[in-house]
Amino acid sequence: MTKIAKGKRPVYLENPQTDKLLAIIMALTGEVSVLHERLDTIERLLEVKGILSASEIEAYEPDVKVTKEREQWRAEYIARVLRVVQEELETLNKT
């Protein structure tokens, strides 16, 4: 369940739209940073333990089931990233 902040969104820059864009970029940056560290850890552990090499990971081809699961995750992720824009559209549509 997604948490929704109550009250008005704080504005730090002169333009509220720029603030929203910055919020989206920072959400993406945080997600990518965490994913990068976790993926790096997993790849290093797999190689050290002799389970998989970097070249095997690069050569992996997902099957249809994996592709569909990834597409579902991607759609949900994009919805989270663009939450700020979606909230704005919902507010505009109510008026």
Side-chain angles (χ1 to χ4, degrees):
M1 187 165 157
T2 304
K3 293 181 182 178
I4 298 176
K6 294 184 173 139
K8 290 187 174 185
R9 180 177 297 281
V11 177
Y12 299 103
L13 304 173
E14 289 181 29
N15 183 334
Q17 299 306 323
T18 304
D19 264 11
K20 289 175 186 173
L21 182 58
L22 180 61
I24 291 170
I25 291 168
M26 293 310 296
L28 283 168
T29 301
E31 291 274 347
V32 170
S33 177
V34 169
L35 287 172
H36 174 76
E37 286 184 11
R38 291 181 63 88
L39 182 58
D40 180 64
T41 298
I42 291 168
E43 288 181 1
R44 289 173 189 266
L45 288 171
L46 290 171
E47 193 148 26
V48 165
K49 293 183 179 210
I51 298 170
L52 285 176
S53 67
S55 60
E56 288 173 302
I57 293 170
E58 292 295 326
Y60 174 74
E61 293 286 334
D63 62 21
V64 174
K65 181 180 182 235
V66 171
T67 300
K68 286 183 180 180
E69 289 172 355
R70 288 179 177 182
E71 288 171 357
Q72 174 70 32
W73 179 87
R74 187 178 304 111
E76 292 169 359
Y77 176 64
I78 290 170
R80 285 192 311 273
V81 169
L82 295 177
R83 178 186 55 80
V84 173
V85 175
Q86 183 63 34
E87 287 173 356
E88 172 103 3
L89 289 173
E90 289 171 359
T91 301
L92 290 173
N93 287 333
K94 287 180 184 177
T95 59

